[in-house]
Amino acid sequence: MDLVKLLYKYINKFINSKELLASLKKIDLTKYNKYEIVKIKELIKDLEKIIKEIPNEIDEVEKKRLKDIDKLLNALNDENIYKSLDDEGLDFIKRKKDSLEKEKKIANDGGKLCDAVVELLDNNELINKYFDGMSNKEMLELITEYISAPITFALTQSEFDDLVMVGIEEDKREALWRLAFNYNNKNKDFTKIVDYFI
């Protein structure tokens, strides 16, 4: 499942190709058989080649992310918001600004580099094997690790309902809320989740 998690993180731009490479190199290979170890090492070599040969570009998605960060930073630099804040509020604003400045420095992948890495991961037989073998519980845990991922796995209503049932059976209220948030505006019927919370 480690490999599927890395795929999910990358396609949602939670990590870039260099962070992906570092994570792949840290995978505990004792969990895998000899054939799988060979495939993981091949994946690492292919990724290294892509990173070396394809320059990173600032695409439209990255431009929008940076623009949104600048917009938030400008709003937080407005002197008027400081007038009514106590020390706790001022400290919160400072932490938020620091966090946004750090986020701004992160170089997300874009353009041909991103496309090549996504294609490499999507076509990897080992990642596909582990994805296909995931239980509903594992899938629910992966999807709900994040409150709102930009790109979610394509699920039929039946597959979505199966994940909902796992959440209900295990009384995973937070996970169900996150699942609904992740699939908001994706033509899913949330009736079972609503009924459960009521």
Side-chain angles (χ1 to χ4, degrees):
M1 187 159 137
D2 293 340
L3 293 169
V4 180
K5 278 186 178 182
L6 289 175
L7 162 71
Y8 198 63
K9 283 183 175 183
Y10 185 80
I11 63 172
N12 280 292
K13 297 195 177 215
F14 297 138
I15 58 173
N16 62 31
S17 54
K18 290 178 182 174
E19 292 166 317
L20 172 63
L21 181 60
S23 296
L24 283 169
K25 288 180 175 180
K26 289 179 186 173
I27 283 183
D28 180 5
L29 295 177
T30 61
K31 297 180 188 177
Y32 301 92
N33 64 39
K34 288 181 182 178
Y35 176 76
E36 292 173 331
I37 291 170
V38 168
K39 288 295 173 187
I40 290 170
K41 289 181 178 177
E42 284 176 7
L43 178 60
I44 289 170
K45 283 183 185 174
D46 291 342
L47 181 57
E48 286 174 332
K49 184 178 180 200
I50 288 171
I51 291 170
K52 184 179 179 183
E53 293 179 358
I54 303 175
N56 194 7
E57 303 170 36
I58 296 180
D59 60 10
E60 292 306 312
V61 174
E62 185 63 1
K63 283 179 188 174
K64 183 183 180 318
R65 182 185 78 90
L66 293 171
K67 186 178 177 182
D68 289 346
I69 290 172
D70 283 337
K71 191 175 179 180
L72 283 170
L73 284 169
N74 286 336
L76 292 174
N77 285 327
D78 182 355
E79 295 293 325
N80 293 325
I81 64 171
Y82 295 98
K83 293 175 183 173
S84 61
L85 294 175
D86 59 10
D87 287 343
E88 190 177 319
L90 290 169
D91 186 52
F92 172 80
I93 296 289
K94 183 185 181 316
R95 285 194 318 268
K96 191 65 182 168
K97 282 171 61 175
D98 291 345
S99 171
L100 288 167
E101 289 291 355
K102 283 180 188 173
E103 192 177 327
K104 191 175 175 180
K105 291 176 184 173
I106 295 170
N108 284 342
D109 292 351
K112 292 178 183 175
L113 173 62
C114 184
D115 292 344
V117 175
V118 168
E119 185 177 342
L120 175 70
L121 298 174
D122 274 348
N123 294 323
N124 184 274
E125 110 184 49
L126 199 53
I127 293 174
N128 288 323
K129 172 191 162 188
Y130 278 98
F131 178 78
D132 292 340
M134 287 177 74
S135 68
N136 286 332
K137 182 178 178 180
E138 290 171 326
M139 182 66 79
L140 180 66
E141 287 173 4
L142 175 61
I143 292 170
T144 60
E145 191 172 328
Y146 305 98
I147 292 176
S148 182
I151 299 172
T152 53
F153 297 121
L155 298 176
T156 64
Q157 184 64 49
S158 176
E159 291 167 332
F160 181 82
D161 289 342
D162 289 344
L163 298 183
V164 171
M165 290 313 298
V166 168
I168 290 171
E169 287 166 8
E170 301 204 359
D171 196 29
K172 293 186 177 269
R173 292 176 176 269
E174 175 73 14
L176 289 168
W177 180 80
R178 287 176 177 231
L179 181 66
F181 214 89
N182 273 288
Y183 284 87
N184 189 29
N185 298 321
K186 295 191 179 168
N187 298 319
K188 295 291 177 266
D189 179 1
F190 297 111
T191 305
K192 291 180 181 177
I193 296 175
V194 172
D195 289 348
Y196 173 70
F197 276 100
I198 292 172

